[in-house]
Amino acid sequence: MKLYSSALSPFAARARMAIYAKNLPVEILSPPGGGLKSAEYLAINPMGKIPALVLDDGTVIPESDTIVEFLADAFPDSGLRPKGAEAMAKARLIARVTELYIGGPGSALFGQMNPATRHTETVDVTFAKLHDGFNYLNVFMSDDAYAVGDTITTADCALVPILMFQGVFAMTFGKGDVIAPHTKVAAYWSRVQSDPAAARVLGEMQAAMAARAAG
Ligand SMILES: N[C@@H](CCC(=O)N[C@@H](CS)C(=O)NCC(=O)O)C(=O)O
């Protein structure tokens, strides 16, 4: 199996987190052909997006959520999916709340990074939505070592890359730490960063961001 990925993409990072945490036999590659819209890459993933997982028979699975869910199904002994219907629902709920109410609204901020072209109202509205999203998430977080239970699951794969960008937003927009007021999420965030797979993914994302900033 191969994963087409790039270091900074939070979506690709979600899939890498599952692969690293569970030592899954997946080769990680950059998109070939000079970019996501190259003919070579479009022949692999017609959506022209990363990540994309390519199975050994050539089947392509795009979309980070679907990839991580596939890996959980394909490697049932990995522990990527927690055991029991209730814990599985909780993992799906945490991933969904993170994607819909934090990652989704937060993506509006990528277009507002440049102070010269920044639209203040868009930034303010987005931060209000982020606080709502963190309020929702905070309800479902627990004191477990990980998002659900005592090991990395699909829920952590969704959370870690998205939480990483909140630190970037806090620095860029001077709005303060958006995670800190949401105490259960904040405690989780401080715990999970010491996990080796999370630390590896976060290190890759931070190095890619530093390289981009250096031009
Ligand atoms: N919903 C997709 C989003 C993937 C995505 O938008 N990836 C970005 C990189 S961070 C991309 O490929 N952008 C190129 C494009 O949308 O044309 C997922 O979860 O995998």
Side-chain angles (χ1 to χ4, degrees):
M1 258 183 255
K2 295 174 189 165
L3 180 82
Y4 289 98
S5 170
S6 87
L8 189 52
S9 163
F11 306 107
R14 181 174 177 177
R16 291 203 308 283
M17 173 106 183
I19 293 164
Y20 296 161
K22 306 301 180 185
N23 284 318
L24 302 182
V26 181
E27 188 185 0
I28 295 174
L29 300 168
S30 297
L36 297 177
K37 307 303 172 197
S38 69
E40 205 177 325
Y41 187 62
L42 288 173
I44 296 168
N45 178 12
M47 290 169 75
K49 294 179 190 289
I50 46 165
L53 185 73
V54 182
L55 309 189
D56 293 344
D57 69 359
T59 302
V60 179
I61 302 179
E63 290 295 317
S64 55
D65 176 69
T66 309
I67 292 170
V68 173
E69 288 292 321
F70 169 82
L71 293 172
D73 288 335
F75 298 98
D77 298 332
S78 67
L80 254 185
R81 199 185 297 300
K83 291 208 183 339
E86 203 176 313
M88 285 182 206
K90 190 173 172 196
R92 290 197 178 100
L93 183 62
I94 287 174
R96 190 158 171 82
V97 167
T98 303
E99 188 167 18
L100 280 181
Y101 304 115
I102 300 175
S107 63
L109 294 175
F110 290 115
Q112 303 294 326
M113 292 296 203
N114 181 351
T117 54
R118 189 169 294 161
H119 188 246
T120 311
E121 200 188 325
T122 301
V123 172
D124 291 347
V125 167
T126 302
F127 270 90
K129 285 184 186 169
L130 284 175
H131 275 294
D132 284 346
F134 275 109
N135 274 329
Y136 305 153
L137 182 60
N138 206 54
V139 173
F140 304 111
M141 299 304 288
S142 67
D143 294 334
D144 291 354
Y146 290 92
V148 182
D150 60 2
T151 186
I152 295 265
T153 66
T154 52
D156 302 280
C157 300
L159 274 167
V160 166
I162 294 296
L163 292 182
M164 185 269 193
F165 272 106
Q166 307 312 311
V168 176
F169 295 152
M171 258 180 350
T172 307
F173 297 99
K175 292 278 194 189
D177 184 341
V178 77
I179 300 178
H182 309 283
T183 51
K184 287 195 278 175
V185 183
Y188 164 79
W189 181 226
S190 100
R191 280 196 303 276
V192 78
Q193 288 177 74
S194 58
D195 173 87
R200 183 173 173 192
V201 166
L202 292 168
E204 289 170 351
M205 294 174 80
Q206 278 148 2
M209 201 170 317
R212 178 177 285 200

